[in-house]
Amino acid sequence: MGIPGSGLAKGLAVTLRTMTRKSHTARYPDAQPELPPRTRGVIGLFEENCTVCMLCARECPDWCIYIDSHKETVPPAAPGGRERSRNVLDRFAIDFALCMYCGICIEVCPFDALFWSPEFEYAEEDIRDLTHERDKLREWMWTVPAPPALDPRAEEPKEIAAARKAADKLAAAEAAQAEAERGSGGTDRTDRTDRNGNGNGTENGNGAAS
């Protein structure tokens, strides 16, 4: 059994030590705070892992996760096999105006599709802009810190490799589309030049002959 009043004495000692120290104020936003790696800032979505199981939306205490999907028939992988259906994600949105940052959605996700990001600077003037759709949630994934490697010589985490592969594929598709649009524009101009040249020549020739 402790000495009566020892807890009060310890509390007063802490108060006296704190009173003699100079207060420190972080000059945000000029000086960015040093946040711990597991800071709960915003939630990132790795949609390649999402199977639309709806577990995160069902377990969310605030009901701030909105998910829409449709079923798609997948052909058999081998001849003679059976077709199967899979869920295709149409919408995944989180309303951060309602979110209380409990992290339940991240903990219950069985396929590692949701991650915490330490980013916290996403204030908006309109509360409706705090509902982040799938594309915005995907952008937050690039701010998620990589997990520490158990072995320095270990391979790159599959989540990061898959995200980089998806981003490279999307960038290549956009570049190919832009190149195709430039090529079609050049072809159209060439065709118009040919038609004008041929038409002028033919008409002038016909006119001269007539």
Side-chain angles (χ1 to χ4, degrees), residues 7 29 79 81 97 99 110 129 131 133 140 165 194 203:
C99 178
D129 295 333
T131 300
E133 297 291 339
W140 291 123
K165 183 178 179 181
D194 292 343
E203 290 173 2

Side-chain angles (χ1 to χ4, degrees), residues 27-32:
R27 298 185 179 278
Y28 175 84
D30 297 333
Q32 292 293 326

Side-chain angles (χ1 to χ4, degrees), residues 1 6 11 19 28 54 59 67 70 72 87 94 106 116 124 136 144 149-150 168-171 186 192 201:
M1 184 175 180
S6 60
M19 289 175 62
Y28 175 84
M54 305 293 292
E59 297 295 331
I67 301 176
H70 70 277
E72 188 177 85
N87 293 322
I94 299 178
I106 298 175
W116 277 119
E124 300 288 350
K136 184 66 175 179
V144 174
L150 300 178
D168 294 342
K169 184 177 180 181
L170 179 61
R192 286 196 297 269

